[in-house]
Amino acid sequence: MITNSIDKAIHALTKDEVVAIPTETVYGLSANAYSEKAVKKIFDLKKRPLYNPLIVHIKGASSLTEVAQNIPDLAYKLAEIFWPGPLTLLLEKQAHVSDLVTSGKKTVAVRVPDHPRTLELLENLPFPLVAPSANLFGSISPTCTQHVSNYFGNSIDILEGGECRKGIESTIIGFDNEDAIIYRHGSIPVEEIEKITGKLKTITNNDQSPEAPGMLSRHYAPNTDTYLTDDVPGSIRKFEGKRIGLLLFKQPIQHENITYQEVLSASANLDEAAKNFYAFLHHLDSKNLDVIIAERLPESGLGKTINDKLERATKKGNPKI
Ligand code: TXA
Ligand code: MG
Protein backbone atom coordinates (compact mmCIF):
# COMPACT_ATOMS: atom_id res chain seq x y z
CA MET A 1 0.00 0.00 0.00
CA ILE A 2 1.38 3.43 -0.91
CA THR A 3 1.61 5.61 2.21
CA ASN A 4 2.72 9.11 3.16
CA SER A 5 3.21 8.17 6.79
CA ILE A 6 6.78 7.92 8.06
CA ASP A 7 5.35 6.70 11.40
CA LYS A 8 3.68 3.80 9.63
CA ALA A 9 6.98 2.92 7.94
CA ILE A 10 8.81 3.07 11.30
CA HIS A 11 6.19 0.83 12.86
CA ALA A 12 6.43 -1.79 10.10
CA LEU A 13 10.25 -1.78 9.99
CA THR A 14 10.42 -2.17 13.78
CA LYS A 15 8.22 -5.25 13.42
CA ASP A 16 10.65 -6.81 10.91
CA GLU A 17 8.46 -6.00 7.94
CA VAL A 18 9.78 -4.89 4.52
CA VAL A 19 8.98 -1.31 3.44
CA ALA A 20 9.76 0.26 0.06
CA ILE A 21 11.53 3.60 0.48
CA PRO A 22 12.38 6.48 -1.83
CA THR A 23 15.99 7.45 -2.50
CA GLU A 24 17.52 9.92 -4.92
CA THR A 25 18.61 7.02 -7.16
CA VAL A 26 15.84 4.39 -7.28
CA TYR A 27 13.27 3.06 -4.80
CA GLY A 28 14.66 0.50 -2.36
CA LEU A 29 13.11 -2.49 -0.62
CA SER A 30 14.19 -1.86 2.96
CA ALA A 31 14.40 -3.85 6.18
CA ASN A 32 16.22 -3.82 9.53
CA ALA A 33 19.85 -4.59 8.67
CA TYR A 34 20.32 -6.16 12.12
CA SER A 35 17.41 -8.62 11.85
CA GLU A 36 18.13 -11.76 9.83
CA LYS A 37 14.43 -12.52 9.79
CA ALA A 38 13.70 -9.17 8.14
CA VAL A 39 16.65 -9.40 5.73
CA LYS A 40 15.56 -12.87 4.61
CA LYS A 41 12.16 -11.47 3.65
CA ILE A 42 13.84 -9.15 1.13
CA PHE A 43 15.62 -12.00 -0.63
CA ASP A 44 12.33 -13.95 -0.77
CA LEU A 45 10.27 -11.02 -2.05
CA LYS A 46 12.78 -10.06 -4.74
CA LYS A 47 13.52 -13.69 -5.67
CA ARG A 48 17.13 -12.63 -5.26
CA PRO A 49 19.86 -15.26 -5.01
CA LEU A 50 21.58 -15.31 -1.62
CA TYR A 51 24.99 -14.78 -3.28
CA ASN A 52 24.02 -11.20 -4.13
CA PRO A 53 24.79 -8.96 -1.12
CA LEU A 54 22.78 -5.92 0.02
CA ILE A 55 23.66 -2.27 0.59
CA VAL A 56 23.38 -0.99 4.17
CA HIS A 57 21.88 2.52 4.36
CA ILE A 58 23.02 4.68 7.26
CA LYS A 59 21.94 8.15 8.37
CA GLY A 60 25.35 9.79 8.09
CA ALA A 61 29.10 9.22 7.84
CA SER A 62 29.31 9.42 11.65
CA SER A 63 27.48 6.06 11.80
CA LEU A 64 30.02 4.37 9.52
CA THR A 65 31.95 2.62 12.28
CA GLU A 66 28.73 0.94 13.49
CA VAL A 67 28.90 -1.33 10.44
CA ALA A 68 32.46 -1.01 9.05
CA GLN A 69 36.03 -1.02 10.41
CA ASN A 70 39.59 -0.28 9.28
CA ILE A 71 38.17 2.38 7.00
CA PRO A 72 40.74 3.80 4.54
CA ASP A 73 41.33 7.57 4.57
CA LEU A 74 40.33 7.65 0.92
CA ALA A 75 36.92 6.24 1.85
CA TYR A 76 36.39 8.99 4.42
CA LYS A 77 37.41 11.56 1.85
CA LEU A 78 34.90 10.23 -0.70
CA ALA A 79 32.19 10.05 1.98
CA GLU A 80 32.81 13.65 2.93
CA ILE A 81 32.47 14.80 -0.67
CA PHE A 82 29.64 12.65 -1.94
CA TRP A 83 27.39 11.84 1.08
CA PRO A 84 24.50 12.08 1.36
CA GLY A 85 24.45 10.92 -2.22
CA PRO A 86 24.67 8.13 -4.80
CA LEU A 87 27.99 6.63 -3.77
CA THR A 88 28.26 3.19 -2.17
CA LEU A 89 31.52 2.22 -0.44
CA LEU A 90 32.69 -1.37 0.06
CA LEU A 91 34.43 -1.57 3.45
CA GLU A 92 35.61 -4.23 5.88
CA LYS A 93 32.52 -5.24 7.83
CA GLN A 94 32.07 -5.21 11.59
CA ALA A 95 31.76 -8.76 12.95
CA HIS A 96 28.12 -8.27 13.95
CA VAL A 97 27.00 -7.47 10.38
CA SER A 98 25.28 -10.66 9.25
CA ASP A 99 26.71 -12.88 6.52
CA LEU A 100 23.22 -12.85 5.06
CA VAL A 101 23.61 -9.12 4.34
CA THR A 102 27.09 -9.47 2.82
CA SER A 103 26.60 -12.92 1.23
CA GLY A 104 29.48 -14.18 3.33
CA LYS A 105 31.88 -11.50 2.08
CA LYS A 106 34.23 -9.73 4.48
CA THR A 107 33.13 -6.40 3.04
CA VAL A 108 29.90 -4.53 3.59
CA ALA A 109 28.40 -2.05 1.10
CA VAL A 110 27.38 1.23 2.77
CA ARG A 111 25.78 4.46 1.66
CA VAL A 112 23.90 7.53 2.94
CA PRO A 113 20.89 8.12 0.68
CA ASP A 114 20.02 11.69 -0.27
CA HIS A 115 16.28 11.79 0.19
CA PRO A 116 14.68 13.86 2.98
CA ARG A 117 11.97 11.31 3.85
CA THR A 118 14.35 8.37 4.02
CA LEU A 119 16.89 10.38 6.01
CA GLU A 120 14.10 11.26 8.44
CA LEU A 121 13.20 7.59 8.63
CA LEU A 122 16.82 6.60 9.35
CA GLU A 123 17.11 9.32 12.02
CA ASN A 124 14.16 7.79 13.84
CA LEU A 125 15.23 4.15 13.70
CA PRO A 126 17.68 2.47 16.08
CA PHE A 127 19.10 0.36 13.23
CA PRO A 128 20.38 0.90 9.65
CA LEU A 129 18.39 -0.34 6.67
CA VAL A 130 19.40 -2.79 4.00
CA ALA A 131 17.80 -1.79 0.73
CA PRO A 132 18.26 -3.34 -2.69
CA SER A 133 16.41 -1.75 -5.58
CA ALA A 134 12.67 -2.47 -5.27
CA ASN A 135 12.32 -4.66 -8.36
CA LEU A 136 12.28 -8.39 -8.95
CA PHE A 137 15.80 -9.77 -9.41
CA GLY A 138 17.24 -8.94 -12.84
CA SER A 139 14.38 -6.67 -13.94
CA ILE A 140 14.15 -2.90 -14.45
CA SER A 141 14.72 -0.74 -11.36
CA PRO A 142 11.82 1.40 -10.05
CA THR A 143 11.93 5.20 -10.06
CA CYS A 144 8.41 5.92 -8.71
CA THR A 145 5.94 4.24 -6.35
CA GLN A 146 3.83 2.99 -9.27
CA HIS A 147 6.75 0.90 -10.57
CA VAL A 148 7.15 -0.61 -7.09
CA SER A 149 3.49 -1.48 -6.74
CA ASN A 150 3.53 -3.02 -10.24
CA TYR A 151 6.12 -5.49 -8.89
CA PHE A 152 4.80 -6.09 -5.37
CA GLY A 153 1.14 -5.00 -5.36
CA ASN A 154 -0.25 -4.38 -1.90
CA SER A 155 1.97 -6.93 -0.18
CA ILE A 156 4.20 -4.22 1.37
CA ASP A 157 4.02 -0.60 2.49
CA ILE A 158 5.56 1.82 -0.03
CA LEU A 159 6.62 5.19 1.36
CA GLU A 160 5.75 7.94 -1.13
CA GLY A 161 8.71 10.11 -2.06
CA GLY A 162 7.94 11.32 -5.57
CA GLU A 163 9.99 10.55 -8.66
CA CYS A 164 13.63 9.69 -8.04
CA ARG A 165 15.81 12.70 -8.81
CA LYS A 166 18.75 10.76 -10.26
CA GLY A 167 16.97 7.72 -11.68
CA ILE A 168 20.01 5.42 -11.76
CA GLU A 169 21.59 3.41 -8.93
CA SER A 170 24.57 4.52 -6.84
CA THR A 171 28.13 4.13 -8.09
CA ILE A 172 29.93 1.39 -6.11
CA ILE A 173 33.58 1.83 -5.10
CA GLY A 174 35.80 -0.64 -3.24
CA PHE A 175 39.39 -0.42 -2.06
CA ASP A 176 42.58 -2.41 -2.43
CA ASN A 177 45.12 -0.79 -0.11
CA GLU A 178 45.56 2.69 -1.56
CA ASP A 179 43.72 1.93 -4.81
CA ALA A 180 40.04 2.55 -5.49
CA ILE A 181 38.15 0.07 -7.62
CA ILE A 182 34.90 0.56 -9.51
CA TYR A 183 32.40 -2.25 -8.87
CA ARG A 184 29.34 -0.71 -10.51
CA HIS A 185 28.84 2.28 -12.80
CA GLY A 186 26.14 4.54 -11.41
CA SER A 187 24.78 8.01 -10.79
CA ILE A 188 28.15 9.60 -10.11
CA PRO A 189 30.21 9.49 -13.31
CA VAL A 190 33.59 7.78 -13.09
CA GLU A 191 35.31 11.06 -14.05
CA GLU A 192 33.94 12.78 -10.92
CA ILE A 193 35.30 10.08 -8.66
CA GLU A 194 38.66 9.91 -10.43
CA LYS A 195 39.19 13.60 -9.61
CA ILE A 196 39.57 12.41 -6.00
CA THR A 197 40.95 8.89 -6.37
CA GLY A 198 43.04 9.01 -9.53
CA LYS A 199 42.50 6.30 -12.17
CA LEU A 200 40.00 3.71 -10.92
CA LYS A 201 40.82 0.03 -11.25
CA THR A 202 38.17 -2.30 -12.61
CA ILE A 203 37.43 -5.81 -11.46
CA THR A 204 37.01 -8.81 -13.64
CA ASN A 205 33.77 -10.63 -13.07
CA ASN A 206 32.79 -14.20 -13.41
CA ASP A 207 29.09 -15.00 -13.61
CA GLN A 208 29.46 -18.23 -11.61
CA SER A 209 30.97 -16.48 -8.61
CA PRO A 210 30.54 -12.78 -9.20
CA GLU A 211 32.74 -10.36 -7.31
CA ALA A 212 30.16 -7.71 -8.09
CA PRO A 213 26.78 -9.10 -9.02
CA GLY A 214 25.85 -5.57 -10.22
CA MET A 215 28.25 -6.44 -13.03
CA LEU A 216 26.41 -9.65 -13.96
CA SER A 217 26.22 -9.84 -17.72
CA ARG A 218 22.41 -9.92 -17.80
CA HIS A 219 20.68 -7.45 -15.50
CA TYR A 220 18.28 -4.50 -15.48
CA ALA A 221 16.41 -6.21 -18.29
CA PRO A 222 13.01 -5.46 -19.80
CA ASN A 223 10.86 -8.47 -20.72
CA THR A 224 10.85 -7.28 -24.33
CA ASP A 225 13.90 -8.22 -26.41
CA THR A 226 16.13 -5.18 -26.38
CA TYR A 227 18.86 -4.31 -28.84
CA LEU A 228 21.60 -1.69 -28.37
CA THR A 229 22.92 -0.01 -31.48
CA ASP A 230 24.88 2.89 -32.98
CA ASP A 231 22.85 2.57 -36.18
CA VAL A 232 19.15 3.03 -35.39
CA PRO A 233 17.87 3.22 -39.02
CA GLY A 234 19.85 0.06 -39.88
CA SER A 235 18.32 -1.78 -36.92
CA ILE A 236 14.82 -0.64 -37.83
CA ARG A 237 15.33 -2.20 -41.29
CA LYS A 238 16.51 -5.42 -39.68
CA PHE A 239 13.30 -5.74 -37.67
CA GLU A 240 10.89 -4.76 -40.45
CA GLY A 241 7.36 -6.07 -39.90
CA LYS A 242 7.82 -6.23 -36.11
CA ARG A 243 6.27 -3.98 -33.49
CA ILE A 244 9.30 -1.76 -32.84
CA GLY A 245 9.88 0.60 -29.91
CA LEU A 246 12.77 3.06 -29.83
CA LEU A 247 14.73 4.46 -26.91
CA LEU A 248 16.58 7.41 -28.42
CA PHE A 249 19.09 9.83 -26.98
CA LYS A 250 18.08 13.27 -28.23
CA GLN A 251 16.21 13.13 -31.52
CA PRO A 252 12.95 11.46 -32.54
CA ILE A 253 12.90 9.52 -35.80
CA GLN A 254 10.29 9.83 -38.55
CA HIS A 255 9.70 6.31 -39.75
CA GLU A 256 6.47 4.51 -40.59
CA ASN A 257 7.59 1.22 -39.02
CA ILE A 258 7.83 2.57 -35.49
CA THR A 259 5.11 1.65 -33.02
CA TYR A 260 6.40 3.79 -30.17
CA GLN A 261 9.40 5.94 -29.31
CA GLU A 262 10.88 7.75 -26.32
CA VAL A 263 13.56 10.47 -26.39
CA LEU A 264 15.74 10.55 -23.25
CA SER A 265 16.71 14.23 -23.47
CA ALA A 266 15.83 16.60 -26.31
CA SER A 267 18.58 18.94 -25.09
CA ALA A 268 21.15 16.09 -24.92
CA ASN A 269 21.44 16.56 -21.15
CA LEU A 270 22.84 13.37 -19.62
CA ASP A 271 21.38 14.07 -16.14
CA GLU A 272 17.93 14.29 -17.69
CA ALA A 273 18.61 11.17 -19.76
CA ALA A 274 19.57 9.25 -16.59
CA LYS A 275 16.47 10.42 -14.74
CA ASN A 276 14.24 9.24 -17.59
CA PHE A 277 16.11 6.05 -18.43
CA TYR A 278 14.38 3.39 -16.28
CA ALA A 279 11.00 5.14 -16.42
CA PHE A 280 11.07 5.03 -20.24
CA LEU A 281 12.23 1.42 -20.28
CA HIS A 282 9.28 0.51 -18.00
CA HIS A 283 7.00 2.38 -20.37
CA LEU A 284 8.35 0.75 -23.54
CA ASP A 285 8.18 -2.64 -21.85
CA SER A 286 4.45 -2.15 -21.21
CA LYS A 287 3.66 -1.43 -24.89
CA ASN A 288 3.49 -5.01 -26.08
CA LEU A 289 6.37 -4.57 -28.52
CA ASP A 290 8.35 -7.28 -30.32
CA VAL A 291 11.60 -5.42 -29.92
CA ILE A 292 13.08 -2.33 -28.26
CA ILE A 293 15.92 -0.68 -30.16
CA ALA A 294 18.05 1.49 -27.87
CA GLU A 295 20.46 4.05 -29.22
CA ARG A 296 23.96 4.03 -27.72
CA LEU A 297 24.76 7.27 -25.86
CA PRO A 298 28.02 9.24 -25.98
CA GLU A 299 30.59 7.22 -24.01
CA SER A 300 31.38 9.82 -21.34
CA GLY A 301 29.99 10.85 -17.96
CA LEU A 302 26.54 9.36 -17.31
CA GLY A 303 26.42 8.27 -20.95
CA LYS A 304 28.92 5.58 -19.96
CA THR A 305 26.72 4.47 -17.04
CA ILE A 306 23.59 4.27 -19.21
CA ASN A 307 25.46 2.37 -21.96
CA ASP A 308 26.70 -0.04 -19.30
CA LYS A 309 23.12 -0.68 -18.07
CA LEU A 310 21.95 -1.10 -21.67
CA GLU A 311 24.73 -3.60 -22.42
CA ARG A 312 23.46 -5.66 -19.48
CA ALA A 313 19.81 -5.20 -20.40
CA THR A 314 20.50 -6.50 -23.89
CA LYS A 315 23.24 -9.05 -23.27
CA LYS A 316 25.69 -9.03 -26.12
CA GLY A 317 24.62 -9.54 -29.69
CA ASN A 318 21.21 -9.87 -31.26
CA PRO A 319 18.10 -10.75 -29.29
CA LYS A 320 16.05 -13.72 -30.44
CA ILE A 321 13.48 -12.64 -33.04
O1 TXA B 1 21.24 3.34 -5.55
C1 TXA B 1 21.34 2.26 -4.99
O2 TXA B 1 22.42 1.76 -4.68
C2 TXA B 1 20.02 1.53 -4.67
C3 TXA B 1 19.24 2.33 -3.64
C4 TXA B 1 17.98 1.63 -3.19
O3 TXA B 1 20.09 2.64 -2.56
N1 TXA B 1 20.29 0.20 -4.21
C5 TXA B 1 20.74 -0.78 -5.04
O4 TXA B 1 20.84 -2.01 -4.44
O5 TXA B 1 21.01 -0.58 -6.19
P1 TXA B 1 20.95 -3.38 -5.26
O6 TXA B 1 20.86 -4.46 -4.24
O7 TXA B 1 19.97 -3.41 -6.33
O8 TXA B 1 22.40 -3.34 -5.78
C6 TXA B 1 23.45 -3.49 -4.86
C7 TXA B 1 24.67 -3.93 -5.56
C8 TXA B 1 24.57 -5.36 -6.03
O9 TXA B 1 25.00 -5.42 -7.37
C9 TXA B 1 25.52 -6.09 -5.10
O10 TXA B 1 26.13 -7.13 -5.76
C10 TXA B 1 26.52 -5.02 -4.75
O11 TXA B 1 25.74 -3.88 -4.62
N2 TXA B 1 27.17 -5.31 -3.45
C11 TXA B 1 26.63 -5.23 -2.23
N3 TXA B 1 27.50 -5.60 -1.29
C12 TXA B 1 28.64 -5.93 -1.93
C13 TXA B 1 29.90 -6.41 -1.52
N4 TXA B 1 30.19 -6.61 -0.23
N5 TXA B 1 30.84 -6.65 -2.47
C14 TXA B 1 30.57 -6.44 -3.79
N6 TXA B 1 29.38 -5.99 -4.25
C15 TXA B 1 28.42 -5.75 -3.33
MG1 MG C 1 19.24 -3.72 -8.22
Side-chain angles (χ1 to χ4, degrees), residues 48-91:
R48 178 174 175 119
L50 290 169
Y51 64 70
N52 196 348
L54 305 175
I55 298 176
V56 175
H57 295 64
I58 57 174
K59 62 183 173 220
S62 57
S63 306
L64 206 43
T65 49
E66 282 175 28
V67 292
Q69 57 187 336
N70 297 325
I71 300 164
D73 289 343
L74 187 53
Y76 275 119
K77 199 165 166 191
L78 289 170
E80 197 177 302
I81 293 167
F82 293 109
W83 282 356
L87 173 71
T88 294
L89 299 175
L90 298 180
L91 300 166

Side-chain angles (χ1 to χ4, degrees), residues 21 23-29 46 48 51-55 57 86 88 90-91 101-102 105-109 111 113 131-135 141 168-172 183-184 210-215 219-220:
I21 54 167
T23 82
E24 80 283 27
T25 59
V26 299
Y27 274 75
L29 213 50
K46 265 187 80 94
R48 178 174 175 119
Y51 64 70
N52 196 348
L54 305 175
I55 298 176
H57 295 64
T88 294
L90 298 180
L91 300 166
V101 170
T102 65
K105 289 182 195 296
K106 293 199 170 61
T107 51
V108 60
R111 89 174 187 103
S133 51
N135 51 283
S141 300
I168 289 209
E169 291 90 341
S170 59
T171 304
I172 303 183
Y183 279 72
R184 178 175 72 181
E211 264 307 303
M215 299 281 208
H219 216 114
Y220 316 106

Side-chain angles (χ1 to χ4, degrees), residues 132-146:
S133 51
N135 51 283
L136 295 171
F137 181 67
S139 58
I140 311 169
S141 300
T143 56
C144 63
T145 47
Q146 188 58 51

